[in-house]
């Protein structure tokens, strides 16, 4: 096995496409959002705060993206597991308190299922945040599909 590895990660262009798609979806459902996109290393790549988005949701959006990329799963999966007595009770205290257990963070995967980054949205309900985040994931998946089609030509 080689001593180093090359990993795929989101580009700034892709992260901006995520942000634009999320903003469009938020507007379409009558919301304003904080939208964070992290790369595969969990570091912030792009952030958008729509006019009127809750200031207290800035860190929440960033931490949702951090959690989704780092744990390779949507933050909504913890809904039932984090209550007292649940198998993940207290997990929100891990990673310096950055681990989010509220819906609205989704990983962005490549064709092989490896994490390229993640998007986190916050200001609406958890379901609304997740709906807006999904629009961003879908935008990147379209870009990946288009890139694959161009490569085949």
């Amino acid at each position: 096995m080689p001593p180093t590895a090359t990993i795929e990660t989101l580009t700034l262009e892709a992260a901006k496409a995520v942000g634009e798609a999320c903003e469009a979806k938020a507007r379409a459902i009558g919301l304003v959002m904080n939208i964070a996109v992290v790369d595969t290393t969990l570091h912030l790549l792009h952030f958008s705060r729509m006019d009127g988005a809750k200031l207290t949701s800035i860190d929440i959006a960033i931490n949702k993206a951090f959690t989704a990329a780092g744990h390779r799963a949507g933050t909504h999966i913890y809904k039932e597991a984090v209550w007292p007595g649940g198998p993940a009770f207290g997990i929100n205290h891990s990673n310096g308190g950055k681990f989010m257990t509220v819906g609205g963070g989704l990983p962005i995967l490549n064709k092989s299922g490896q994490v390229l980054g993640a998007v986190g949205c916050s200001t609406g309900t958890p379901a609304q945040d997740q709906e807006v985040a999904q629009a961003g994931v879908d935008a990147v998946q379209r870009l990946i599909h288009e890139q694959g089609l161009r490569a085949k030509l």
Side-chain angles (χ1 to χ4, degrees):
M1 178 157 261
T4 62
T6 301
I7 58 171
E8 282 187 271
T9 191
L10 292 177
T11 63
L12 178 58
E13 178 183 341
K16 287 179 179 179
V18 169
E20 289 169 5
C22 289
E23 286 182 32
K25 182 64 173 183
R27 280 191 297 275
I29 63 174
L31 296 173
V32 293
M33 289 272 167
N34 288 295
I35 302 156
V37 182
V38 299
D39 63 15
T40 193
T41 67
L42 315 184
H43 287 95
L44 187 64
L45 184 58
H46 185 321
F47 183 82
S48 176
R49 180 170 55 91
M50 297 173 71
D51 292 340
K54 296 175 187 171
L55 298 178
T56 53
S57 293
I58 293 170
D59 284 343
I60 295 169
I62 294 168
N63 292 340
K64 284 179 181 183
F66 168 89
T67 301
H71 213 254
R72 303 180 190 115
T75 55
H76 63 282
I77 69 165
Y78 297 99
K79 182 178 179 180
E80 300 302 323
V82 298
W83 297 101
F89 178 68
I91 198 169
N92 56 304
H93 298 294
S94 69
N95 294 281
K98 291 174 37 172
F99 201 99
M100 290 300 300
T101 60
V102 178
L106 294 172
I108 299 170
L109 309 174
N110 68 9
K111 293 176 191 173
S112 303
Q114 295 171 315
V115 174
L116 301 172
V119 57
C121 298
S122 187
T123 290
T125 66
Q128 291 168 326
D129 293 350
Q130 185 172 330
E131 181 180 357
V132 171
Q134 186 64 55
V137 172
D138 293 346
V140 172
Q141 295 306 321
R142 281 190 298 276
L143 287 174
I144 291 170
H145 179 72
E146 290 169 6
Q147 178 186 29
L149 290 177
R150 283 194 299 270
K152 289 179 183 179
L153 296 179

